[in-house]
Amino acid sequence: QVHLVESGGGLVQPGASLALSCATSDRTFSSNALGWFRQAPGKEREFVASISWNGGRTDYADSVKGRFFISRDNSKKTVYLQMNSVKPEDTALYYCNSGNYYNDNYYPRDWGQGTQVTVSS
């Protein structure tokens, strides 16, 4: 199982920016697609963003499109989520994962433990 470690979460005011990181020592990192999901209290876990193995393709949930940006650095085995113009409804536990694209959809396989993001004034 791949070991993924998220960091960068915290308390942030509405409208501010926050950057999440997720690092791994997995040797197959550069061949995997990567993604971010989130889960708010009392809600189901939901897709946020994903990125293909070479960064050539990115996908976003409608709720974050234009505000959040996913990127990766294969040399550092790290995936990032830049969160801009955050809203209170972005409050959630954010999970990174590795997986694959199949039939035009991203399927997560291995998960990190999550990092908490709280948006509040």
Side-chain angles (χ1 to χ4, degrees):
Q1 186 173 354
V2 173
H3 185 57
L4 298 158
V5 180
E6 302 96 336
S7 62
L11 175 64
V12 62
Q13 292 189 340
S17 296
L18 192 67
L20 306 182
S21 300
C22 177
T24 180
S25 59
D26 178 28
R27 290 180 294 177
T28 66
F29 176 89
S30 60
S31 63
N32 293 330
L34 301 164
W36 289 91
F37 280 62
R38 68 186 181 186
Q39 187 167 19
K43 295 187 178 181
E44 293 187 355
R45 192 174 297 187
E46 64 176 2
F47 169 79
V48 176
S50 59
I51 186 168
S52 62
W53 69 274
N54 63 354
R57 172 179 176 167
T58 56
D59 294 285
Y60 297 92
D62 288 343
S63 59
V64 306
K65 200 170 294 184
R67 298 188 298 121
F68 291 10
F69 299 94
I70 188 171
S71 61
R72 64 189 295 163
D73 186 336
N74 286 347
S75 67
K76 296 181 179 179
K77 296 184 179 179
T78 302
V79 60
Y80 306 95
L81 184 69
Q82 178 65 40
M83 306 169 60
N84 299 326
S85 302
V86 297
K87 304 174 181 180
E89 51 263 44
D90 294 322
T91 295
L93 188 60
Y94 283 72
Y95 299 90
C96 77
N97 41 71
S98 64
N100 294 97
Y101 277 96
Y102 183 72
N103 282 350
D104 213 34
N105 292 306
Y106 171 70
Y107 292 91
R109 180 180 61 247
D110 298 296
W111 295 78
Q113 294 299 308
T115 185
Q116 178 67 38
V117 173
T118 302
V119 183
S120 176
S121 54

